Amino acid sequence: MATLNIGMIVKNEEKRLRATLEALQPLRNAVDCRLIIADTGSNDGTVAIAQEFADIFLQITWENDFAKARNATLAEAKGDWFFYLDADEVLTEPEELIQFLNNTKQQKKYRSITLEIHNLVSEKRDVWKNFSSTRIFRIEPNTYFEGAIHEFYPRQLPFYELKRCHLKHYGYNNDDTVFMQQKSKRNLAIFDARVAQEIPDGSRGAKLLFDYAESLALNDERKEQTAEIVRRGIALLLPLEISDSFRVILLARGYSIMMSVAHNSHRPTECLQMGEEYFNLQPERGIWDMDIYGFL
């Protein structure tokens, strides 16, 4: 039987944390499992809830670096697999993952596992956006989380894809304007420091800049910087081959961010011009095109 480590970093998450941890219980009861929670400075009821559930509880200093905090939980892991999630993510239909981890012959073939994240965009309108993410990976030496924000673990091949088991993520509900603005300000402080350094080439750099632009778009005082940052990302993508899937997806994302700001600022002519520019660059269109069509 495989050993699964579940790693979480938390701060002031008493509103969602209990539901997240209770949803993990069927998984924890069915496989050899260790829950590792690191608190980065909570002043609400988060610590008490975390200590009630955790096998290992840490209190660490927050240094504006998500990867560093994740790596603190990874350092406590032992055994085969590491699964990381946020305090506002709820695991759904875990039976598929349980079956995989209890199948010794099957799980030995793979180094990572992907599953869908169902991201709540609007609770009032019941709008979700889904995407695939590698959240479970084999513990291997000298491999760590990277990225001060929107941290990631280098994808290990081959990977196994879960079809039904998924995470419901409640941390980007745009109905809660105050919460989203607070999150934007926190993220901007990290992005400002990161973007002041050297930006990676190609799609990796473009993704970093588009993540930055999305936080800028939520900040009333700085949202007009959004287009400038997106344009820097677009410049990194244009040298890529037109057939490159990252180019297709990220270009569409970048233009949809700019068009959203123009639309919300009541500049329809600018929004239309951006849409026409996008379709001239990418006539084959990408998966985010429905967002772009919505502004035209």
Side-chain angles (χ1 to χ4, degrees):
M1 179 186 294
T3 299
L4 176 69
N5 300 265
I6 302 175
M8 300 175 62
I9 54 175
V10 299
K11 182 179 180 180
N12 293 339
E13 297 284 1
E14 65 176 0
K15 179 180 178 181
R16 294 280 186 187
L17 183 58
R18 182 172 293 278
T20 294
L21 297 177
E22 287 177 349
L24 290 172
Q25 282 303 122
L27 174 64
R28 296 180 67 193
N29 292 338
V31 302
D32 183 12
C33 192
R34 302 165 77 241
L35 175 60
I36 306 163
I37 302 178
D39 181 81
T40 62
S42 294
N43 55 21
D44 63 359
T46 296
V47 170
I49 298 170
Q51 290 178 328
E52 179 184 340
F53 286 85
D55 297 302
I56 298 175
F57 176 76
L58 312 170
Q59 289 187 304
I60 62 176
T61 301
W62 174 242
E63 300 181 48
N64 277 347
D65 190 323
F66 279 94
K68 191 168 186 177
R70 292 281 185 203
N71 285 329
T73 62
L74 180 59
E76 299 291 333
K78 296 179 181 179
D80 305 291
W81 296 92
F82 192 86
F83 178 16
Y84 71 100
L85 70 162
D86 293 335
D88 52 12
E89 293 179 325
V90 174
L91 185 67
T92 303
E93 299 187 57
E95 296 79 14
E96 184 182 15
L97 176 58
I98 292 168
Q99 183 178 12
F100 174 86
L101 292 171
N102 285 333
N103 186 329
T104 303
K105 185 175 181 180
Q106 182 187 35
Q107 55 100 4
K108 282 186 175 180
K109 298 177 184 177
Y110 300 97
R111 296 173 66 204
S112 62
I113 304 170
T114 66
L115 74 168
E116 276 200 345
I117 312 295
H118 294 189
N119 211 31
L120 179 66
V121 176
S122 172
E123 190 169 16
K124 292 178 181 176
R125 295 180 290 126
D126 193 28
V127 177
W128 301 75
K129 281 189 176 178
N130 304 340
F131 62 94
S132 180
S133 179
T134 303
R135 289 297 194 90
I136 307 170
F137 52 84
R138 280 198 175 276
I139 299 170
E140 298 182 353
N142 303 316
T143 310
Y144 308 99
F145 285 95
E146 301 175 22
I149 190 165
H150 296 299
E151 72 285 2
F152 66 94
Y153 189 90
R155 192 179 204 184
Q156 309 297 314
L157 298 176
F159 68 90
Y160 182 81
E161 183 180 6
L162 297 172
K163 301 294 187 181
R164 299 180 305 280
C165 180
H166 62 276
L167 288 169
K168 287 187 174 180
H169 184 207
Y170 295 91
Y172 286 93
N173 178 12
N174 290 319
D175 299 334
D176 192 340
T177 306
V178 174
F179 173 75
M180 290 300 293
Q181 288 178 343
Q182 289 174 342
K183 179 174 277 192
S184 171
K185 288 180 180 179
R186 180 205 67 187
N187 290 351
L188 279 176
I190 304 173
F191 275 125
D192 286 340
R194 176 65 186 87
V195 173
Q197 304 168 18
E198 185 177 354
I199 302 297
D201 290 332
S203 59
R204 190 169 168 188
K207 181 184 182 303
L208 171 64
L209 290 167
F210 293 166
D211 289 344
Y212 185 24
E214 285 189 330
S215 288
L216 286 168
L218 292 169
N219 187 291
D220 290 338
E221 296 176 359
R222 298 182 62 185
K223 66 180 180 181
E224 293 307 319
Q225 295 177 247
T226 302
E228 173 193 348
I229 298 300
V230 171
R231 293 287 182 189
R232 287 175 60 185
I234 290 171
L236 294 176
L237 292 173
L238 291 181
L240 302 180
E241 295 290 333
I242 293 176
S243 59
D244 189 305
S245 61
F246 288 109
R247 180 190 194 272
V248 172
I249 294 168
L250 287 172
L251 269 179
R253 180 186 174 200
Y255 275 93
S256 71
I257 294 169
M258 288 194 297
M259 292 170 72
S260 176
V261 171
H263 174 77
N264 293 335
S265 301
H266 308 291
R267 300 196 296 265
T269 301
E270 180 182 335
C271 196
L272 179 61
Q273 290 172 343
M274 288 178 179
E276 291 175 344
E277 179 182 326
Y278 167 73
F279 285 114
N280 285 333
L281 277 175
Q282 194 152 272
E284 72 279 11
R285 302 187 294 275
I287 63 169
W288 286 71
D289 283 3
M290 290 308 296
D291 288 350
I292 291 176
Y293 276 125
F295 297 124
L296 300 180

